[in-house]
Amino acid sequence: MAKAKQRASWKVWLRRVSQGVFLLLFLYLFLQTEYHPINEIGGPVTLFFELDPLILTTVWLASEVFPRMLLLSLGVIGITLLFGRWFCGWFCPFGVVHNIFTSLRAGRFKVKMAKGGYSSHQRWKYYLLISLLISSSVGLNLVGWLDPFSFFFRSLATSIYPALNSGIPELATWLYDEDPGIGVVRVTLASVPAFCFLRENFLAVEQPQFDWGVAIGFLFVAIVGLNVVRPRFWCRYICPLGAMLGIVGKNPLIQLRKDEEICNDCQLCLVNCPGGADPNTAGGWRPAECFFCWNCESVCPHQAISFEIRVRRESH
């Protein structure tokens, strides 16, 4: 059974660049919100929320008013309808965090293969989506607790950023010691410019404090840690936005094609599929679970997998 790690294709690197850019953009806009909290609702700090069709739908159901500021999310719906669930694999900043921790997973090939395929538990996210839509329709909008942008932003604002804002000065104070020891002086001289840069560009003027910040921090760590159990656990089993995009993009124009004649059933595509989309199964590929990350195509040693534009005759 082939286990050799293949060189990532240019498509995979392009996707990684896209993920990195959008994660950095999200973090930059987050810092802008921290430093300039009086930005207007339509300002750039709300860009990701304006792209979120789940927020658009639940706000509309809860208020019966179509939010014009969220019209950009209709573009995401249109792109997903035509080309599938690209948003989750290429643009979602919270998905990037899960992707990073998923890539750090260690384990034997057989274990990864057993955990890589589709599970019926991946339906949970669809049940959560239905519950959120029903609650919004009766005036109870709970989407902020499970929407990926809202959850990521809240975790950064109430736990991660305050922890960094408190920990970095403490570390700098510990490093900046008047002890004339050579090792301490060397560390001190290197740390002062870095700390000044962080103080001017990253750290808040006043230490932010939030109720339940520690609890939210533990919840964030736990959810990210679940990537050890299953690749991109949140995206597979929990994310209601992913569920919505999966429903919209279940029959995209871009389809996976597998050449059975040259496939040797090495299962590398299955092991490297973060969404549990079953690219290894003949005719069983699940576009609603696919992030279009191109991992399966990239790792295939015989180039038996490819993506092409065609109309899908059957849906699974």
Side-chain angles (χ1 to χ4, degrees), residues 108-139:
R108 300 190 321 179
F109 185 88
K110 290 184 178 180
V111 174
K112 290 184 177 181
M113 185 172 65
K115 296 182 177 181
Y118 175 81
S119 168
S120 60
H121 294 150
Q122 292 181 220
R123 299 172 184 170
W124 291 349
K125 62 181 177 292
Y126 298 103
Y127 301 146
L128 286 172
L129 172 64
I130 293 172
S131 300
L132 290 175
L133 295 179
I134 292 175
S135 65
S136 296
S137 65
V138 297

PDB file of all heavy atoms in Angstrom, residues 108-139:
ATOM      1  N   ARG A 108      -0.809   6.292  12.819  1.00  0.00           N
ATOM      2  CA  ARG A 108      -0.550   5.313  11.790  1.00  0.00           C
ATOM      3  C   ARG A 108      -1.504   5.481  10.616  1.00  0.00           C
ATOM      4  O   ARG A 108      -2.612   6.001  10.760  1.00  0.00           O
ATOM      5  CB  ARG A 108      -0.664   3.899  12.362  1.00  0.00           C
ATOM      6  CG  ARG A 108       0.318   3.632  13.495  1.00  0.00           C
ATOM      7  CD  ARG A 108       0.364   2.170  13.877  1.00  0.00           C
ATOM      8  NE  ARG A 108      -0.946   1.528  13.855  1.00  0.00           N
ATOM      9  CZ  ARG A 108      -1.122   0.239  14.141  1.00  0.00           C
ATOM     10  NH1 ARG A 108      -0.100  -0.497  14.493  1.00  0.00           N
ATOM     11  NH2 ARG A 108      -2.328  -0.287  14.098  1.00  0.00           N
ATOM     12  N   PHE A 109      -1.071   5.016   9.481  1.00  0.00           N
ATOM     13  CA  PHE A 109      -1.838   5.158   8.246  1.00  0.00           C
ATOM     14  C   PHE A 109      -3.214   4.514   8.385  1.00  0.00           C
ATOM     15  O   PHE A 109      -4.224   5.094   7.970  1.00  0.00           O
ATOM     16  CB  PHE A 109      -1.066   4.521   7.091  1.00  0.00           C
ATOM     17  CG  PHE A 109      -1.712   4.711   5.748  1.00  0.00           C
ATOM     18  CD1 PHE A 109      -1.440   5.837   4.983  1.00  0.00           C
ATOM     19  CD2 PHE A 109      -2.594   3.772   5.246  1.00  0.00           C
ATOM     20  CE1 PHE A 109      -2.027   6.021   3.752  1.00  0.00           C
ATOM     21  CE2 PHE A 109      -3.185   3.936   4.016  1.00  0.00           C
ATOM     22  CZ  PHE A 109      -2.899   5.055   3.260  1.00  0.00           C
ATOM     23  N   LYS A 110      -3.277   3.336   8.976  1.00  0.00           N
ATOM     24  CA  LYS A 110      -4.552   2.622   9.100  1.00  0.00           C
ATOM     25  C   LYS A 110      -5.528   3.387   9.992  1.00  0.00           C
ATOM     26  O   LYS A 110      -6.737   3.382   9.747  1.00  0.00           O
ATOM     27  CB  LYS A 110      -4.316   1.221   9.646  1.00  0.00           C
ATOM     28  CG  LYS A 110      -3.614   0.285   8.668  1.00  0.00           C
ATOM     29  CD  LYS A 110      -3.505  -1.123   9.242  1.00  0.00           C
ATOM     30  CE  LYS A 110      -2.848  -2.068   8.249  1.00  0.00           C
ATOM     31  NZ  LYS A 110      -2.727  -3.454   8.796  1.00  0.00           N
ATOM     32  N   VAL A 111      -4.993   4.036  11.029  1.00  0.00           N
ATOM     33  CA  VAL A 111      -5.865   4.817  11.917  1.00  0.00           C
ATOM     34  C   VAL A 111      -6.429   6.023  11.177  1.00  0.00           C
ATOM     35  O   VAL A 111      -7.625   6.322  11.268  1.00  0.00           O
ATOM     36  CB  VAL A 111      -5.086   5.266  13.166  1.00  0.00           C
ATOM     37  CG1 VAL A 111      -5.943   6.192  14.027  1.00  0.00           C
ATOM     38  CG2 VAL A 111      -4.622   4.065  13.968  1.00  0.00           C
ATOM     39  N   LYS A 112      -5.567   6.715  10.439  1.00  0.00           N
ATOM     40  CA  LYS A 112      -6.031   7.865   9.668  1.00  0.00           C
ATOM     41  C   LYS A 112      -7.039   7.442   8.610  1.00  0.00           C
ATOM     42  O   LYS A 112      -7.997   8.166   8.332  1.00  0.00           O
ATOM     43  CB  LYS A 112      -4.839   8.564   9.014  1.00  0.00           C
ATOM     44  CG  LYS A 112      -3.930   9.295   9.994  1.00  0.00           C
ATOM     45  CD  LYS A 112      -2.836  10.047   9.252  1.00  0.00           C
ATOM     46  CE  LYS A 112      -1.969  10.837  10.203  1.00  0.00           C
ATOM     47  NZ  LYS A 112      -0.915  11.602   9.478  1.00  0.00           N
ATOM     48  N   MET A 113      -6.827   6.271   8.021  1.00  0.00           N
ATOM     49  CA  MET A 113      -7.756   5.787   7.002  1.00  0.00           C
ATOM     50  C   MET A 113      -9.123   5.477   7.618  1.00  0.00           C
ATOM     51  O   MET A 113     -10.164   5.778   7.048  1.00  0.00           O
ATOM     52  CB  MET A 113      -7.185   4.539   6.334  1.00  0.00           C
ATOM     53  CG  MET A 113      -8.023   4.012   5.171  1.00  0.00           C
ATOM     54  SD  MET A 113      -7.194   2.678   4.282  1.00  0.00           S
ATOM     55  CE  MET A 113      -7.146   1.401   5.557  1.00  0.00           C
ATOM     56  N   ALA A 114      -9.106   4.906   8.820  1.00  0.00           N
ATOM     57  CA  ALA A 114     -10.362   4.575   9.488  1.00  0.00           C
ATOM     58  C   ALA A 114     -11.145   5.820   9.871  1.00  0.00           C
ATOM     59  O   ALA A 114     -12.388   5.799   9.902  1.00  0.00           O
ATOM     60  CB  ALA A 114     -10.079   3.735  10.732  1.00  0.00           C
ATOM     61  N   LYS A 115     -10.438   6.918  10.158  1.00  0.00           N
ATOM     62  CA  LYS A 115     -11.097   8.150  10.584  1.00  0.00           C
ATOM     63  C   LYS A 115     -11.310   9.138   9.438  1.00  0.00           C
ATOM     64  O   LYS A 115     -11.877  10.200   9.649  1.00  0.00           O
ATOM     65  CB  LYS A 115     -10.274   8.834  11.691  1.00  0.00           C
ATOM     66  CG  LYS A 115     -10.175   8.026  12.969  1.00  0.00           C
ATOM     67  CD  LYS A 115      -9.388   8.776  14.022  1.00  0.00           C
ATOM     68  CE  LYS A 115      -9.329   8.010  15.334  1.00  0.00           C
ATOM     69  NZ  LYS A 115      -8.589   8.750  16.385  1.00  0.00           N
ATOM     70  N   GLY A 116     -10.832   8.806   8.252  1.00  0.00           N
ATOM     71  CA  GLY A 116     -10.878   9.767   7.160  1.00  0.00           C
ATOM     72  C   GLY A 116     -12.165   9.780   6.370  1.00  0.00           C
ATOM     73  O   GLY A 116     -12.502  10.779   5.740  1.00  0.00           O
ATOM     74  N   GLY A 117     -12.896   8.659   6.390  1.00  0.00           N
ATOM     75  CA  GLY A 117     -14.089   8.563   5.561  1.00  0.00           C
ATOM     76  C   GLY A 117     -15.309   9.239   6.149  1.00  0.00           C
ATOM     77  O   GLY A 117     -15.296   9.735   7.282  1.00  0.00           O
ATOM     78  N   TYR A 118     -16.349   9.244   5.376  1.00  0.00           N
ATOM     79  CA  TYR A 118     -17.609   9.868   5.796  1.00  0.00           C
ATOM     80  C   TYR A 118     -18.222   9.117   6.963  1.00  0.00           C
ATOM     81  O   TYR A 118     -18.180   7.880   7.038  1.00  0.00           O
ATOM     82  CB  TYR A 118     -18.584   9.894   4.623  1.00  0.00           C
ATOM     83  CG  TYR A 118     -19.954  10.421   4.987  1.00  0.00           C
ATOM     84  CD1 TYR A 118     -20.191  11.792   5.070  1.00  0.00           C
ATOM     85  CD2 TYR A 118     -21.012   9.547   5.257  1.00  0.00           C
ATOM     86  CE1 TYR A 118     -21.448  12.276   5.408  1.00  0.00           C
ATOM     87  CE2 TYR A 118     -22.267  10.023   5.591  1.00  0.00           C
ATOM     88  CZ  TYR A 118     -22.471  11.391   5.669  1.00  0.00           C
ATOM     89  OH  TYR A 118     -23.710  11.863   6.005  1.00  0.00           O
ATOM     90  N   SER A 119     -18.795   9.865   7.891  1.00  0.00           N
ATOM     91  CA  SER A 119     -19.514   9.288   9.016  1.00  0.00           C
ATOM     92  C   SER A 119     -20.936   9.844   9.030  1.00  0.00           C
ATOM     93  O   SER A 119     -21.162  11.014   8.716  1.00  0.00           O
ATOM     94  CB  SER A 119     -18.809   9.632  10.335  1.00  0.00           C
ATOM     95  OG  SER A 119     -19.629   9.328  11.446  1.00  0.00           O
ATOM     96  N   SER A 120     -21.871   9.004   9.408  1.00  0.00           N
ATOM     97  CA  SER A 120     -23.271   9.455   9.490  1.00  0.00           C
ATOM     98  C   SER A 120     -23.439  10.568  10.519  1.00  0.00           C
ATOM     99  O   SER A 120     -24.399  11.340  10.469  1.00  0.00           O
ATOM    100  CB  SER A 120     -24.186   8.278   9.837  1.00  0.00           C
ATOM    101  OG  SER A 120     -23.821   7.711  11.093  1.00  0.00           O
ATOM    102  N   HIS A 121     -22.484  10.680  11.451  1.00  0.00           N
ATOM    103  CA  HIS A 121     -22.541  11.746  12.447  1.00  0.00           C
ATOM    104  C   HIS A 121     -22.323  13.125  11.827  1.00  0.00           C
ATOM    105  O   HIS A 121     -22.586  14.138  12.488  1.00  0.00           O
ATOM    106  CB  HIS A 121     -21.503  11.495  13.538  1.00  0.00           C
ATOM    107  CG  HIS A 121     -21.778  10.274  14.359  1.00  0.00           C
ATOM    108  ND1 HIS A 121     -20.789   9.519  14.953  1.00  0.00           N
ATOM    109  CD2 HIS A 121     -22.950   9.658  14.661  1.00  0.00           C
ATOM    110  CE1 HIS A 121     -21.329   8.514  15.599  1.00  0.00           C
ATOM    111  NE2 HIS A 121     -22.637   8.562  15.444  1.00  0.00           N
ATOM    112  N   GLN A 122     -21.844  13.154  10.594  1.00  0.00           N
ATOM    113  CA  GLN A 122     -21.677  14.442   9.926  1.00  0.00           C
ATOM    114  C   GLN A 122     -23.021  15.101   9.618  1.00  0.00           C
ATOM    115  O   GLN A 122     -23.062  16.274   9.243  1.00  0.00           O
ATOM    116  CB  GLN A 122     -20.852  14.270   8.641  1.00  0.00           C
ATOM    117  CG  GLN A 122     -19.409  13.903   8.927  1.00  0.00           C
ATOM    118  CD  GLN A 122     -18.543  13.734   7.694  1.00  0.00           C
ATOM    119  OE1 GLN A 122     -17.716  12.836   7.624  1.00  0.00           O
ATOM    120  NE2 GLN A 122     -18.699  14.596   6.708  1.00  0.00           N
ATOM    121  N   ARG A 123     -24.091  14.373   9.824  1.00  0.00           N
ATOM    122  CA  ARG A 123     -25.428  14.954   9.672  1.00  0.00           C
ATOM    123  C   ARG A 123     -25.769  15.895  10.815  1.00  0.00           C
ATOM    124  O   ARG A 123     -26.727  16.670  10.718  1.00  0.00           O
ATOM    125  CB  ARG A 123     -26.477  13.842   9.606  1.00  0.00           C
ATOM    126  CG  ARG A 123     -26.311  12.877   8.437  1.00  0.00           C
ATOM    127  CD  ARG A 123     -27.265  11.713   8.565  1.00  0.00           C
ATOM    128  NE  ARG A 123     -27.070  10.719   7.511  1.00  0.00           N
ATOM    129  CZ  ARG A 123     -27.639   9.517   7.497  1.00  0.00           C
ATOM    130  NH1 ARG A 123     -28.457   9.167   8.493  1.00  0.00           N
ATOM    131  NH2 ARG A 123     -27.399   8.670   6.520  1.00  0.00           N
ATOM    132  N   TRP A 124     -25.002  15.810  11.901  1.00  0.00           N
ATOM    133  CA  TRP A 124     -25.298  16.671  13.065  1.00  0.00           C
ATOM    134  C   TRP A 124     -25.359  18.131  12.679  1.00  0.00           C
ATOM    135  O   TRP A 124     -26.208  18.874  13.179  1.00  0.00           O
ATOM    136  CB  TRP A 124     -24.232  16.459  14.139  1.00  0.00           C
ATOM    137  CG  TRP A 124     -24.260  15.121  14.805  1.00  0.00           C
ATOM    138  CD1 TRP A 124     -25.244  14.172  14.710  1.00  0.00           C
ATOM    139  CD2 TRP A 124     -23.259  14.572  15.662  1.00  0.00           C
ATOM    140  NE1 TRP A 124     -24.912  13.059  15.444  1.00  0.00           N
ATOM    141  CE2 TRP A 124     -23.702  13.271  16.043  1.00  0.00           C
ATOM    142  CE3 TRP A 124     -22.033  15.032  16.136  1.00  0.00           C
ATOM    143  CZ2 TRP A 124     -22.958  12.455  16.896  1.00  0.00           C
ATOM    144  CZ3 TRP A 124     -21.283  14.220  16.983  1.00  0.00           C
ATOM    145  CH2 TRP A 124     -21.749  12.953  17.352  1.00  0.00           C
ATOM    146  N   LYS A 125     -24.448  18.541  11.821  1.00  0.00           N
ATOM    147  CA  LYS A 125     -24.410  19.972  11.477  1.00  0.00           C
ATOM    148  C   LYS A 125     -25.677  20.405  10.749  1.00  0.00           C
ATOM    149  O   LYS A 125     -26.104  21.561  10.867  1.00  0.00           O
ATOM    150  CB  LYS A 125     -23.173  20.296  10.637  1.00  0.00           C
ATOM    151  CG  LYS A 125     -23.071  19.602   9.295  1.00  0.00           C
ATOM    152  CD  LYS A 125     -21.783  20.013   8.587  1.00  0.00           C
ATOM    153  CE  LYS A 125     -21.602  19.274   7.258  1.00  0.00           C
ATOM    154  NZ  LYS A 125     -21.343  17.833   7.478  1.00  0.00           N
ATOM    155  N   TYR A 126     -26.294  19.506  10.013  1.00  0.00           N
ATOM    156  CA  TYR A 126     -27.551  19.836   9.334  1.00  0.00           C
ATOM    157  C   TYR A 126     -28.696  19.963  10.341  1.00  0.00           C
ATOM    158  O   TYR A 126     -29.567  20.830  10.182  1.00  0.00           O
ATOM    159  CB  TYR A 126     -27.876  18.772   8.284  1.00  0.00           C
ATOM    160  CG  TYR A 126     -26.834  18.671   7.197  1.00  0.00           C
ATOM    161  CD1 TYR A 126     -25.904  17.644   7.186  1.00  0.00           C
ATOM    162  CD2 TYR A 126     -26.751  19.632   6.196  1.00  0.00           C
ATOM    163  CE1 TYR A 126     -24.932  17.552   6.201  1.00  0.00           C
ATOM    164  CE2 TYR A 126     -25.780  19.559   5.198  1.00  0.00           C
ATOM    165  CZ  TYR A 126     -24.869  18.516   5.210  1.00  0.00           C
ATOM    166  OH  TYR A 126     -23.904  18.440   4.238  1.00  0.00           O
ATOM    167  N   TYR A 127     -28.674  19.111  11.361  1.00  0.00           N
ATOM    168  CA  TYR A 127     -29.685  19.224  12.412  1.00  0.00           C
ATOM    169  C   TYR A 127     -29.511  20.537  13.185  1.00  0.00           C
ATOM    170  O   TYR A 127     -30.507  21.194  13.550  1.00  0.00           O
ATOM    171  CB  TYR A 127     -29.581  18.038  13.377  1.00  0.00           C
ATOM    172  CG  TYR A 127     -29.755  16.694  12.717  1.00  0.00           C
ATOM    173  CD1 TYR A 127     -29.061  15.567  13.167  1.00  0.00           C
ATOM    174  CD2 TYR A 127     -30.623  16.532  11.627  1.00  0.00           C
ATOM    175  CE1 TYR A 127     -29.214  14.333  12.567  1.00  0.00           C
ATOM    176  CE2 TYR A 127     -30.778  15.302  11.017  1.00  0.00           C
ATOM    177  CZ  TYR A 127     -30.076  14.204  11.486  1.00  0.00           C
ATOM    178  OH  TYR A 127     -30.227  12.982  10.876  1.00  0.00           O
ATOM    179  N   LEU A 128     -28.254  20.923  13.432  1.00  0.00           N
ATOM    180  CA  LEU A 128     -27.996  22.193  14.106  1.00  0.00           C
ATOM    181  C   LEU A 128     -28.467  23.368  13.252  1.00  0.00           C
ATOM    182  O   LEU A 128     -29.042  24.338  13.766  1.00  0.00           O
ATOM    183  CB  LEU A 128     -26.503  22.338  14.412  1.00  0.00           C
ATOM    184  CG  LEU A 128     -25.960  21.491  15.559  1.00  0.00           C
ATOM    185  CD1 LEU A 128     -24.442  21.599  15.615  1.00  0.00           C
ATOM    186  CD2 LEU A 128     -26.567  21.910  16.885  1.00  0.00           C
ATOM    187  N   LEU A 129     -28.232  23.280  11.958  1.00  0.00           N
ATOM    188  CA  LEU A 129     -28.691  24.334  11.050  1.00  0.00           C
ATOM    189  C   LEU A 129     -30.209  24.463  11.093  1.00  0.00           C
ATOM    190  O   LEU A 129     -30.746  25.581  11.202  1.00  0.00           O
ATOM    191  CB  LEU A 129     -28.233  24.021   9.628  1.00  0.00           C
ATOM    192  CG  LEU A 129     -28.792  24.925   8.521  1.00  0.00           C
ATOM    193  CD1 LEU A 129     -28.322  26.363   8.713  1.00  0.00           C
ATOM    194  CD2 LEU A 129     -28.392  24.412   7.147  1.00  0.00           C
ATOM    195  N   ILE A 130     -30.909  23.352  11.022  1.00  0.00           N
ATOM    196  CA  ILE A 130     -32.376  23.385  11.064  1.00  0.00           C
ATOM    197  C   ILE A 130     -32.856  23.992  12.384  1.00  0.00           C
ATOM    198  O   ILE A 130     -33.791  24.807  12.412  1.00  0.00           O
ATOM    199  CB  ILE A 130     -32.940  21.961  10.887  1.00  0.00           C
ATOM    200  CG1 ILE A 130     -32.641  21.453   9.470  1.00  0.00           C
ATOM    201  CG2 ILE A 130     -34.442  21.946  11.138  1.00  0.00           C
ATOM    202  CD1 ILE A 130     -32.989  19.994   9.259  1.00  0.00           C
ATOM    203  N   SER A 131     -32.199  23.609  13.490  1.00  0.00           N
ATOM    204  CA  SER A 131     -32.588  24.149  14.798  1.00  0.00           C
ATOM    205  C   SER A 131     -32.395  25.655  14.864  1.00  0.00           C
ATOM    206  O   SER A 131     -33.257  26.383  15.391  1.00  0.00           O
ATOM    207  CB  SER A 131     -31.766  23.471  15.903  1.00  0.00           C
ATOM    208  OG  SER A 131     -31.978  22.071  15.919  1.00  0.00           O
ATOM    209  N   LEU A 132     -31.289  26.145  14.316  1.00  0.00           N
ATOM    210  CA  LEU A 132     -31.023  27.582  14.319  1.00  0.00           C
ATOM    211  C   LEU A 132     -32.031  28.339  13.463  1.00  0.00           C
ATOM    212  O   LEU A 132     -32.486  29.430  13.833  1.00  0.00           O
ATOM    213  CB  LEU A 132     -29.607  27.855  13.819  1.00  0.00           C
ATOM    214  CG  LEU A 132     -28.466  27.435  14.745  1.00  0.00           C
ATOM    215  CD1 LEU A 132     -27.120  27.654  14.069  1.00  0.00           C
ATOM    216  CD2 LEU A 132     -28.522  28.211  16.062  1.00  0.00           C
ATOM    217  N   LEU A 133     -32.397  27.778  12.322  1.00  0.00           N
ATOM    218  CA  LEU A 133     -33.364  28.427  11.441  1.00  0.00           C
ATOM    219  C   LEU A 133     -34.749  28.470  12.089  1.00  0.00           C
ATOM    220  O   LEU A 133     -35.461  29.478  11.989  1.00  0.00           O
ATOM    221  CB  LEU A 133     -33.417  27.710  10.094  1.00  0.00           C
ATOM    222  CG  LEU A 133     -32.137  27.760   9.243  1.00  0.00           C
ATOM    223  CD1 LEU A 133     -32.331  26.984   7.949  1.00  0.00           C
ATOM    224  CD2 LEU A 133     -31.732  29.201   8.946  1.00  0.00           C
ATOM    225  N   ILE A 134     -35.118  27.389  12.759  1.00  0.00           N
ATOM    226  CA  ILE A 134     -36.420  27.356  13.434  1.00  0.00           C
ATOM    227  C   ILE A 134     -36.451  28.362  14.578  1.00  0.00           C
ATOM    228  O   ILE A 134     -37.429  29.110  14.744  1.00  0.00           O
ATOM    229  CB  ILE A 134     -36.718  25.935  13.952  1.00  0.00           C
ATOM    230  CG1 ILE A 134     -36.944  24.970  12.782  1.00  0.00           C
ATOM    231  CG2 ILE A 134     -37.956  25.949  14.854  1.00  0.00           C
ATOM    232  CD1 ILE A 134     -37.134  23.532  13.210  1.00  0.00           C
ATOM    233  N   SER A 135     -35.394  28.393  15.368  1.00  0.00           N
ATOM    234  CA  SER A 135     -35.362  29.335  16.492  1.00  0.00           C
ATOM    235  C   SER A 135     -35.393  30.780  15.998  1.00  0.00           C
ATOM    236  O   SER A 135     -36.040  31.644  16.605  1.00  0.00           O
ATOM    237  CB  SER A 135     -34.116  29.095  17.348  1.00  0.00           C
ATOM    238  OG  SER A 135     -32.934  29.375  16.612  1.00  0.00           O
ATOM    239  N   SER A 136     -34.715  31.047  14.882  1.00  0.00           N
ATOM    240  CA  SER A 136     -34.728  32.409  14.331  1.00  0.00           C
ATOM    241  C   SER A 136     -36.109  32.791  13.827  1.00  0.00           C
ATOM    242  O   SER A 136     -36.530  33.949  13.943  1.00  0.00           O
ATOM    243  CB  SER A 136     -33.706  32.525  13.195  1.00  0.00           C
ATOM    244  OG  SER A 136     -32.395  32.338  13.668  1.00  0.00           O
ATOM    245  N   SER A 137     -36.819  31.832  13.277  1.00  0.00           N
ATOM    246  CA  SER A 137     -38.150  32.117  12.735  1.00  0.00           C
ATOM    247  C   SER A 137     -39.155  32.472  13.822  1.00  0.00           C
ATOM    248  O   SER A 137     -40.180  33.105  13.540  1.00  0.00           O
ATOM    249  CB  SER A 137     -38.660  30.917  11.930  1.00  0.00           C
ATOM    250  OG  SER A 137     -38.861  29.800  12.766  1.00  0.00           O
ATOM    251  N   VAL A 138     -38.886  32.077  15.073  1.00  0.00           N
ATOM    252  CA  VAL A 138     -39.775  32.426  16.186  1.00  0.00           C
ATOM    253  C   VAL A 138     -39.199  33.572  17.018  1.00  0.00           C
ATOM    254  O   VAL A 138     -39.653  33.822  18.136  1.00  0.00           O
ATOM    255  CB  VAL A 138     -40.053  31.195  17.072  1.00  0.00           C
ATOM    256  CG1 VAL A 138     -40.782  30.125  16.286  1.00  0.00           C
ATOM    257  CG2 VAL A 138     -38.760  30.644  17.675  1.00  0.00           C
ATOM    258  N   GLY A 139     -38.174  34.246  16.469  1.00  0.00           N
ATOM    259  CA  GLY A 139     -37.636  35.434  17.118  1.00  0.00           C
ATOM    260  C   GLY A 139     -36.484  35.188  18.058  1.00  0.00           C
ATOM    261  O   GLY A 139     -36.023  36.122  18.732  1.00  0.00           O
TER     262      GLY A 139
END
